[in-house]
Amino acid sequence: MTHATLRTRRDAVEAVTELFQQKVGAASMVALRELVAALQRPSPVGDTLARAVVSILDETPAARKLAGSGLGEVLSQTDADARLDTLTVDDENDEWAATELLGAGETAARLGIARASLDNWRRAHKILAFRKGVRNFVYPARQFARQGPLEGLDRVRQHFDADDTAWEWLVTPNRFTGGMEPIEWLRKGKVDDVAHAAEGALDYQ
């Protein structure tokens, strides 16, 4: 209730009562005891009552101490990554990738190569990979031929900002690759044609 609406004594009493109830509800026991003591006197002394009222109106609520068990257990980086991986929700449906997605170990085993070679190819963008969890990756199976990646994947990747964006383009029929998926042209050895099409891919988005 604002000053503009305080037209009668009743309005004023109601406004003061409402405000005081709010303040009393948040007051400390010390301030409340002081107010009760002042009001219980047969003839309350003005100064004492005023101090008790001002104490409640001006009082800053006491700080609350939150109870808890602290920061909890400190984990090693390996354990922390493992826990984060268990919280990650993975889409088990591989249809969006238009191919089977393989973990690093399975990919290396199928190709008959060392896992370190797979990591090196990924870092050099000679193959495309999608993150799974914090530290793991999955690899589209269609990008491999025999014991290595299809030639030209690195030339395609340089025109995109991420592996998944490049892969989506590779498995989407394209008018610049005869209405076929660009990755099929890579399989046919048309590396220069696919690289040229990828160069202008983002110009039409």
Side-chain angles (χ1 to χ4, degrees):
M1 186 175 292
T2 64
H3 292 293
T5 61
L6 300 180
R7 296 173 182 167
T8 66
R9 178 183 177 84
R10 181 176 179 179
D11 290 339
V13 170
E14 289 179 353
V16 170
T17 301
E18 181 181 352
L19 176 61
F20 200 69
Q21 284 177 339
Q22 294 174 359
K23 294 291 185 178
V24 167
S28 68
M29 285 301 298
V30 174
L32 290 175
R33 286 194 189 102
E34 185 179 345
L35 176 61
V36 170
L39 291 173
Q40 284 178 339
R41 296 183 181 183
S43 299
V45 179
D47 290 345
T48 303
L49 182 58
R51 281 198 304 271
V53 171
V54 170
S55 176
I56 288 179
L57 294 179
D58 291 344
E59 186 178 49
T60 301
R64 296 176 59 191
K65 183 177 181 181
L66 300 178
S69 57
L71 296 177
E73 179 187 1
V74 178
L75 302 175
S76 68
Q77 186 66 51
T78 301
D79 290 341
D81 290 341
R83 288 199 184 183
L84 285 174
D85 281 344
T86 63
L87 297 175
T88 303
V89 177
D90 295 315
D91 184 358
E92 299 298 334
N93 185 353
D94 296 344
E95 290 183 5
W96 66 272
T99 185
E100 184 180 11
L101 297 178
L102 307 175
E106 186 177 1
T107 302
R110 284 197 186 185
L111 296 176
I113 61 172
R115 188 162 172 171
S117 297
L118 197 66
D119 291 335
N120 291 336
W121 289 343
R122 173 176 54 80
R123 293 189 187 100
H125 297 304
K126 292 183 179 297
I127 59 175
L128 305 179
F130 312 136
R131 277 199 178 276
K132 182 179 181 182
V134 178
R135 303 178 64 181
N136 297 322
F137 294 89
V138 290
Y139 300 86
R142 288 176 67 186
Q143 68 183 318
F144 299 105
R146 298 186 180 87
Q147 291 184 301
L150 292 173
E151 183 185 353
L153 288 172
D154 53 342
R155 292 178 61 184
V156 170
R157 174 61 175 82
Q158 69 182 352
H159 299 295
F160 296 88
D161 59 357
D163 284 11
D164 55 352
T165 308
W167 182 256
E168 183 179 3
W169 182 82
L170 279 167
V171 296
T172 301
N174 191 314
R175 66 189 181 94
F176 294 105
T177 53
M180 296 178 62
E181 298 174 351
I183 194 169
E184 292 304 316
W185 269 30
L186 287 183
R187 288 191 176 281
K188 296 176 182 294
K190 300 181 178 181
V191 176
D192 290 338
D193 293 323
V194 174
H196 182 69
E199 184 177 1
L202 299 181
D203 296 341
Y204 301 95
Q205 295 186 356

